[in-house]
Amino acid sequence: MAIILHNSTLKLKIETPGEKYRGSRFDWNGTVTGIWYKGKKILSQEKKLFSRNIRIYGRGLHNEFGIKDAVGYDEAAPGGFFPKIGTGWLVRDDKPYYFYTQYIIDPLEFSFKKISDTKAVFMCDSGIRNGYGYRYIKTLELLNDTFKVSYELENTGEKKIETTEYVHNFLLPGAKSTGPHLELKFNWEFDDKKLTERVNIDDIMDFTSNGIKFKKTPELEFFAGGIWESRKAEPTANSAWILEDSASGIVMSESCDFITCHMDVWGHNRCLSPELFKKISLESGKTEKWNRTYSFSMMH
């Protein structure tokens, strides 16, 4: 059963591990599948209506480790196991790793606890296979008009863990379609001509020096890749984005306590997903901690 956190302005619905989602791509270790700010719905899903399968596709704030740099994949023989952090031990096939493949999963053992109406903790321990192992704790806590997601990853194996983590923020403030009422801003300037990938964006987006506006509601899935790599200057602050929705009046942001290593924006007609990536390089016996803070307000 899902865990509900709430205060006077925010309500979070957090899916417990394996409750519904059981795919091999995303983290199972406590997934925010619903946010309501002052009663207004915020989140969406990876797939459009009539194409949804909550067992294998993403929803809400669904984070993922190693979308392109899967830990231990190249070392495993076909039929052998490799670790997908927060998900389980996956069985390698005979092809290069592809995040959209539904791999056979040996799930982890998870535990979780609701500490109070405003705080919950989720934990998993992978055990050791092929020299890899980790202990992973995720804590979610509400404070006024914000909530913080805190991560703690300990390398309990012998081999170094080199990977990335990001949150696929499936957003739809006020449950409206993606369109001209949305403006996405970053806390750095970038040159859109230097994007590393452009998929169905030229007819639907206008780029500002530090953000994206929409000309119309998109008909197709879109992708703007390498927004961080296209920056005009080196960073002077930790990374963040802000999403303003003039239709619902909601302003939402994500701020990190780290400088991102990569950023993309993906979406479709009922979803917008800004993705800030965290680089992880963790020696045996070491622990790394990081935070993502989500804040909400109303436009004046």
Side-chain angles (χ1 to χ4, degrees):
M1 181 177 294
I3 290 175
I4 303 297
L5 301 183
H6 64 90
N7 60 21
S8 60
T9 58
L10 273 173
K11 176 183 174 182
L12 267 60
K13 182 178 181 181
I14 308 170
E15 184 176 297
T16 54
E19 178 185 345
K20 291 182 180 177
Y21 178 79
R22 299 187 66 85
S24 62
R25 176 181 179 183
F26 291 113
D27 187 356
W28 293 22
N29 198 31
T31 303
V32 178
T33 58
I35 300 175
W36 293 263
Y37 176 62
K38 294 187 175 180
K40 295 184 178 182
K41 186 178 178 181
I42 302 294
L43 298 183
S44 183
Q45 300 191 30
E46 177 182 358
K47 293 296 182 180
K48 300 178 184 181
L49 291 171
F50 311 116
S51 300
R52 295 175 175 173
N53 181 343
I54 61 176
R55 307 293 283 182
I56 60 174
Y57 295 126
R59 295 174 293 138
L61 307 186
H62 228 153
N63 67 307
E64 178 182 9
F65 290 85
I67 183 173
K68 293 182 178 179
D69 38 16
V71 177
Y73 188 83
D74 293 337
E75 301 169 47
F81 287 103
F82 66 99
K84 184 73 167 178
I85 298 174
T87 304
W89 292 93
L90 309 187
V91 177
R92 181 187 166 154
D93 60 20
D94 59 356
K95 302 179 181 65
Y97 179 77
Y98 182 45
F99 64 91
Y100 228 58
T101 299
Q102 290 299 320
Y103 293 95
I104 297 170
I105 309 173
D106 183 5
L108 304 177
E109 291 189 7
F110 296 89
S111 60
F112 53 90
K113 184 176 182 180
K114 182 177 180 179
I115 305 298
S116 67
D117 284 340
T118 57
K119 185 176 182 179
V121 179
F122 298 81
M123 296 160 282
C124 62
D125 192 325
S126 70
I128 307 293
R129 290 183 185 179
N130 305 329
Y132 288 105
Y134 61 87
R135 184 174 296 110
Y136 168 35
I137 302 172
K138 182 191 291 182
T139 304
L140 297 99
E141 186 168 16
L142 277 62
L143 179 63
N144 300 324
D145 292 339
T146 71
F147 70 90
K148 182 168 67 174
V149 185
S150 300
Y151 304 80
E152 180 177 331
L153 183 66
E154 178 187 359
N155 185 349
T156 59
E158 299 174 355
K159 295 181 179 178
K160 186 177 183 179
I161 293 175
E162 293 265 15
T163 191
T164 56
E165 183 270 345
Y166 76 102
V167 181
H168 213 319
N169 297 296
F170 297 107
L171 308 179
L172 191 64
K176 303 291 183 180
S177 61
T178 308
H181 56 285
L182 296 179
E183 181 174 1
L184 181 62
K185 301 176 183 178
F186 317 111
N187 68 336
W188 67 88
E189 293 190 343
F190 70 104
D191 183 354
D192 70 280
K193 297 180 181 61
K194 295 182 179 179
L195 291 174
T196 58
E197 195 168 354
R198 310 170 71 98
V199 179
N200 301 323
I201 63 173
D202 295 325
D203 292 337
I204 65 165
M205 289 182 180
D206 280 326
F207 292 95
T208 65
S209 63
N210 69 329
I212 296 170
K213 296 181 179 180
F214 286 86
K215 303 175 187 179
K216 61 182 181 180
T217 297
E219 296 180 5
L220 303 172
E221 289 187 4
F222 58 86
F223 183 78
I227 292 173
W228 174 249
E229 290 83 344
S230 305
R231 64 191 181 278
K232 293 182 177 179
E234 289 308 303
T236 58
N238 291 331
S239 305
W241 55 258
I242 299 173
L243 180 61
E244 297 179 349
D245 178 11
S246 60
S248 67
I250 295 172
V251 180
M252 176 184 182
S253 67
E254 177 192 357
S255 57
C256 305
D257 66 351
F258 56 86
I259 295 173
T260 189
C261 65
H262 178 72
M263 185 182 188
D264 299 323
V265 173
W266 173 92
H268 54 69
N269 64 346
R270 292 187 59 80
C271 181
L272 177 62
S273 182
E275 305 163 1
L276 291 168
F277 281 68
K278 160 74 175 171
K279 180 67 177 176
I280 297 168
S281 182
L282 200 55
E283 298 284 354
S284 175
K286 299 297 184 180
T287 298
E288 188 161 0
K289 300 179 182 180
W290 65 100
N291 300 298
R292 298 176 183 271
T293 300
Y294 293 86
S295 301
F296 302 83
S297 62
M298 300 300 295
M299 299 178 72
H300 298 295

